[in-house]
Amino acid sequence: MAADALSIIPGAVLRNLSDKLYEKRKNAALEIEGIVKQLATFGEHEKISAVISLLTNDFTYSPQANHRKQGGLIGLAAVTVGLTSEAAQHLEQIVPPVLTSFLDQDSRVRYYACEALYNIAKVVRGDFIIYFNKIFDALCKLSADSDANVQSAAHLLDKLVKDIVTESDQFSIEEFIPLLRERMNVLNPYVRQFLVGWITVLDSVPDIDMLGFLPDFLDGLFNMLSDSSHEIRQQADAALSEFLQEIKNSPNVDYGRMAEILVRRAGSTDEFTRLTSITWINEFVKLGGEQLVPYYADILGAVLPCISDEEEKIRVVARETNEELRAIKADPAEGFDIGAILSIAKRELNSEHEATRIEALHWFFTLLDRYCAEFLAYLNDIFDPLLNALSDPSDAVVLLVLEVHARIAEESHHFHHLVSYLIRTFHNNHFVLEKRGALIVRRLCVLLGAEKVYREFSTILESEVDLDFASVMVQVLNLILLTSTELGELRSPLKKSLVDSCGKDLFQSLYASWRHSPMATISLCLLAQAYNHASCVIQSLGEEDINVNFLVQLDKLIRLLETPVFAYLRLQLLEPGKHTWLLKTLYGLLMLLPQVKLLTRLCWERLYIVGFICLHSKVRPSRS
């Protein structure tokens, strides 16, 4: 066949085809073009094939660079031009050698390969679409070529190929997408620009459904949002914005696959990527409907951390998305995974950011309110983390945790568990008791009822083996009882315990544990107006070791006698004949006080109480 070709193409023409002078190469190419055109006219396609083989083997694949870049490539382009409308049947011979030349080590060969394919493409147009993936792959690599001239030639070829593809009805998007997906993770900025350019062009073609394949390259576009090049970031953002607009206008969108990508990207270290991701998630939540039900937990896992983002724009969109999610009332029977949502909320309870922990607790409360039975089925997994959250450094978090617990504690078993845990926590961490004890107890009383809460505390503390802790705990509960406005309804029946059966039962319930602290017992008796018993308790204290702690508690009790809650008691002193036991009780407290020096340090400003007692009891204070 080579011999046939040599008889067809004169030797002088073949020599000039690889000559250094451009004019000779040009003339040689024109002669080959004319010869091929004549052969085509007479249907001599076997001879044309022989010519192509000669150009390919002796020139394009030659070890000599001049033969490759000037002879073979120029010759193959000339053959194509000569064939004109009949070139398509010889493309299997013509195109592969040109594509091979794109990988040549010599930059001039790569340059002439771009030029040759450009001329070939101009002739055959849509007929070379069957080689599109290979041409695209070659152009993708050439877009990042080290030689600026090669890049420029590749750019011109790329523009022509785009024009051909957009006007062709033979282009297969299904065959192209796997290649695009494979290339989307390339980091080279020139390649990225090349890829975004093709995505944008193909998306502009009405007959090509790029939106349907968006999940295949969406992650790559998001990856480009953090590129160091401002231009690439802008191009990727513009492409994403266009796709998002198309999603809003399209009735058929695969939200699920894209949701997985968005969730990952919402955790990006790049601020712009996070903002774009959370914006897309926001739109998906509004548009996705039932398609997104299986992904709600993952979406929530992406949204909750963004609520505490450093960037305000991200926080605003995340909060809006979170509210949108919480407003959706999905049916567990239709795939709404409550367990997965709870798992995310439980995880975010450990977030370092208060705002995220608060929103996680809102989710606990929302699920408990809407799906109580399903929620309680997962209680074993989440109860302990919820209990641990009671030690959170944020008061706002603790109050919300208590609301969740109060809702759970509507069942007696869980209520007992809650109070037992609180007592253990206070026992193990006196700091929590000191700083948070009053807040927790008062809020629980509001949420669950003061009497219920105090009865439970008293029942558990009655059998507490650590008597020192029991005494401290009772003192705290007693102080809350006597001073908190939230417990006013609990004090009322206690004041009537001598004449009311309900008040009497409540008094006895509290007394069972209040006896761990003498001063708490005395104050409870004074509140209940059980002055006779209070006096007896004081009498028994004479046998106790009166230490500093005892005197401190005594001082606190005397301070409490001045508070509004004991106003009725102070008024009863105006009728000493009716309240003999009250006078004896107060006089007993006087007898427990230390002598003047210590008295001055502890409660000098309260001597008027002592004087008042003495006045009405006809007792005179000692001069010592």
Side-chain angles (χ1 to χ4, degrees), residues 14 17 32 51-60 71-72 75-76 79:
L14 293 176
L17 197 60
I32 290 175
V51 171
I52 296 172
S53 295
L54 173 65
L55 293 172
T56 300
N57 296 326
D58 291 3
F59 289 87
T60 307
L76 290 174
V79 168

Side-chain angles (χ1 to χ4, degrees), residues 314-362:
I314 297 175
R315 295 198 302 270
V316 170
V317 179
R319 285 189 176 280
E320 179 184 330
T321 308
N322 186 53
E323 293 305 316
E324 292 279 353
L325 272 175
R326 198 155 52 224
I328 297 172
K329 297 182 179 179
D331 188 346
E334 297 177 357
F336 182 64
D337 193 343
I338 292 176
I341 296 285
L342 287 172
S343 179
I344 293 296
K346 180 176 72 172
R347 183 190 74 191
E348 295 306 326
L349 279 181
N350 296 319
S351 169
E352 60 180 315
H353 302 290
E354 178 184 356
T356 293
R357 299 198 300 276
I358 287 175
E359 291 306 321
L361 287 166
H362 280 309

Side-chain angles (χ1 to χ4, degrees), residues 551 555 593-605 607 622-624:
L551 294 175
D555 181 59
L593 288 172
Q595 295 302 306
V596 176
K597 290 183 180 179
L598 186 57
L599 176 63
T600 300
R601 188 174 76 226
L602 288 177
C603 50
W604 173 259
E605 70 279 5
L607 282 178
S622 170
R623 292 179 177 272
S624 57

Side-chain angles (χ1 to χ4, degrees), residues 60 117 122 130 135 172 184 193 203 263 293 300 316 358 384 415 474 489 495 514 525 531 539 541 545 572 615 619:
T60 307
L117 191 58
K122 281 176 64 177
I130 59 173
I135 294 172
S172 174
M184 286 302 291
Q193 283 185 307
D203 188 48
V263 165
V293 169
L300 182 63
V316 170
I358 287 175
D384 285 343
F415 175 63
V474 166
E489 293 185 0
K495 291 178 181 179
W514 254 240
C525 290
Y531 302 136
Q539 291 283 348
L541 293 179
D545 179 20
Q572 287 174 352
L615 174 67
V619 178

Side-chain angles (χ1 to χ4, degrees), residues 278-279 282 302-309 312-324:
I278 202 69
T279 300
N282 181 269
V303 170
L304 287 179
C306 287
I307 286 173
S308 303
D309 200 278
E312 183 181 3
K313 292 180 181 178
I314 297 175
R315 295 198 302 270
V316 170
V317 179
R319 285 189 176 280
E320 179 184 330
T321 308
N322 186 53
E323 293 305 316
E324 292 279 353

Side-chain angles (χ1 to χ4, degrees), residues 407-435:
R407 183 71 175 81
I408 297 173
E410 291 178 0
E411 293 189 20
S412 59
H413 170 70
H414 300 310
F415 175 63
H416 176 79
H417 192 175
L418 170 62
V419 177
S420 297
Y421 174 84
L422 287 174
I423 291 176
R424 288 199 309 273
T425 300
F426 293 149
H427 179 272
N428 297 331
N429 192 335
H430 283 220
F431 179 81
V432 175
L433 176 61
E434 179 183 348
K435 298 297 182 181

